[in-house]
Every structure is written in structure tokens, then in C-alpha cells.
Amino acid sequence: MTGGLKVNQEASPAGIAVDDVIFSWEATDERQFTVELCADAEFKQTVMYTDTRNTFVRYDGLPLKSGATYYWRVRTGIGPWSTAEFTTA
């Protein structure tokens, strides 16, 4: 199970710089995590989709749009998703 989702050490922040975004979360056990970043709340416009063994991941894709709201989620294995959002500066 995952929780405590943060972007650049803040929960649901507004005004995040688009050039250095780090997603982090808390987990009750350490296994494989899947992280998805989307441009829509329905998670249909995927911007990033990655697997990791860490409880953090740095965004390294195409530049994010300024003044946009992004939605992201993380899960352990095939468990339920924990979801959050943030807005860029």
C-alpha cells in the first residue's frame, strides 16, 4: 500500500517549477512500484509511465507545460492506485 504522495516534498502543490519535478511517496513494504503521470484526471493522456524499486522518481520526459494541472498516481505491484495532483508555475 502506498500513501503520502508528494511532489518536490509538498502534498498537492501549486506552482511547481517545470524543470525539476520529483515524485515521492510512502510505502508499507518495499517492492516494485508503478508511477503514472497524466495530463487529465481520467488518466487517459499519459505523460510518463515507469516502474521503480525506489519510493521516489524524477520526471525526465518532455518539458511539462507551465500553468497546467497534472495528475499522478502510484501503486505497489498490482495493488490499488494512490492518486494526487499538482500545478506547474
Side-chain angles (χ1 to χ4, degrees):
M1 181 128 203
T2 57
L5 280 65
K6 294 182 179 179
V7 177
N8 293 3
Q9 303 296 324
E10 297 181 46
S12 299
I16 291 294
V18 297
D19 59 349
D20 191 25
V21 178
I22 300 173
F23 303 100
S24 62
W25 57 92
E26 299 171 2
T28 55
D29 55 5
E30 295 195 26
R31 298 192 298 194
Q32 184 76 20
F33 302 100
T34 301
V35 181
E36 183 176 22
L37 171 65
C38 290
D40 65 304
E42 291 80 31
F43 289 90
K44 294 181 180 179
Q45 299 175 9
T46 300
V47 176
M48 177 187 79
Y49 191 91
T50 189
D51 292 320
T52 184
R53 290 192 172 278
N54 299 316
T55 54
F56 66 92
V57 67
R58 181 181 301 271
Y59 176 74
D60 64 355
L62 295 173
L64 299 175
K65 294 179 183 176
S66 295
T69 299
Y70 289 91
Y71 304 85
W72 71 287
R73 59 188 181 178
V74 62
R75 70 178 176 183
T76 303
I78 58 170
W81 292 100
S82 294
T83 306
E85 65 183 69
F86 69 98
T87 304
T88 56

